[in-house]
Amino acid sequence: MDHGEVRELFDRRMRREAPADGPGCRVERVGDVVRQTGPPEAWNGVVWSGLTAATADAAIAEQIRHFTSLGREFEWKLYAHDEPRDLGDRLRAAGFSAGPGEALMVAEADRIAALGAAPPDGVELVPVTDAAGVDLMAEVHDRAFATDGTRLRQRLVRQLAETPGTVVAVVAVAGGRPVSSARMELVPGTGFAGLWGGGTVPEWRGRGLYRSLVVHRARIAAARGYRWLQVDASDDSRPILGRLGFAVLSTTTPYDYRPGYRAEATTG
């Protein structure tokens, strides 16, 4: 299957026909927009849109009305191949802020699973199955990304308790301390497993932990019958994934909308 065919398959199964990705979430199609609405700790936003220059502005306004009526911040997940071509400009004009772009990368799970990638000596990969394990992941998240992992913790604890078959989480432990962690979202019926949250604390970077966690999750995905691995890769992880055999299918940019953001931004 060539890259264009894989991208079309991804768009259809993971975007146009996207299932809800966590407890308490629902996915609905409103006109030419597919969106997910969930509790505050969940991902809320637009998964896919099939818009034109004539329909885009009204669709954007409708999503703002929907999510702000619920008091939700939300994200419009825009891909480089989405239409219309100026959709990003239209989102910014409507009050969205663009985050860093990432590469949509895909590889066949069994090919990645066959690679050798043992963790460094003295490091143990520990499955995360409960709140205590999630706390270790959140500690890594805070140290690796210098951001607050509270919402991630809330979401993962609920997901592991209510829908454990949809997520695989792992933490790398050295000397009794968590030094790296990652998770994998398994979407039944799609053939795609999403690799998310791979992070390593600064003093352990460059030792192969990221690669080890990718291969570890690939083996689990392949064993469970998933054909494809999907990653939204940052500039840091893209070269590593490329060397492992992942291919770039597109780029994606998060456009975030926070109720009241423009008013706050212009105050003073």
Side-chain angles (χ1 to χ4, degrees), residues 110-180:
D110 58 356
R111 292 188 178 183
I112 305 301
L115 299 175
D121 290 342
V123 176
E124 180 184 6
L125 301 186
V126 180
V128 173
T129 59
D130 57 20
V134 174
D135 284 342
L136 295 179
M137 292 189 69
E139 180 180 336
V140 172
H141 185 277
D142 292 347
R143 295 172 63 199
F145 302 112
T147 57
D148 185 359
T150 300
R151 289 178 62 180
L152 171 65
R153 184 189 185 283
Q154 293 172 340
R155 176 182 176 182
L156 274 177
V157 167
R158 184 172 180 182
Q159 194 170 1
L160 286 168
E162 298 183 23
T163 56
T166 65
V167 61
V168 170
V170 60
V171 61
V173 178
R177 293 204 65 187
V179 296
S180 187

Side-chain angles (χ1 to χ4, degrees), residues 79-112:
Y79 289 78
H81 56 282
D82 289 346
E83 297 289 344
R85 305 307 296 168
D86 65 347
L87 185 53
D89 293 335
R90 292 171 184 266
L91 290 169
R92 282 190 290 269
F96 289 75
S97 58
E102 296 177 312
L104 169 62
M105 302 186 77
V106 171
E108 293 193 63
D110 58 356
R111 292 188 178 183
I112 305 301

Side-chain angles (χ1 to χ4, degrees), residues 112 115-121 123-125 170 172 179-182 198-217 219 236 240-241 243-244:
I112 305 301
L115 299 175
D121 290 342
V123 176
E124 180 184 6
L125 301 186
V170 60
V179 296
S180 187
S181 68
T200 301
V201 300
E203 62 268 28
W204 275 87
R205 292 173 186 165
R207 305 193 198 185
L209 275 171
Y210 184 86
R211 175 188 172 101
S212 293
L213 290 174
V214 170
V215 175
H216 174 80
R217 288 173 289 169
R219 290 171 179 166
D236 291 333
I240 304 171
L241 293 166
R243 290 192 293 271
L244 288 172

Side-chain angles (χ1 to χ4, degrees), residues 21-44:
D21 71 357
C25 297
R26 71 178 186 275
V27 172
E28 55 192 354
R29 182 162 185 161
V30 182
D32 292 319
V33 171
V34 176
R35 69 190 182 203
Q36 173 169 290
T37 307
E41 72 273 8
W43 185 87
N44 285 266

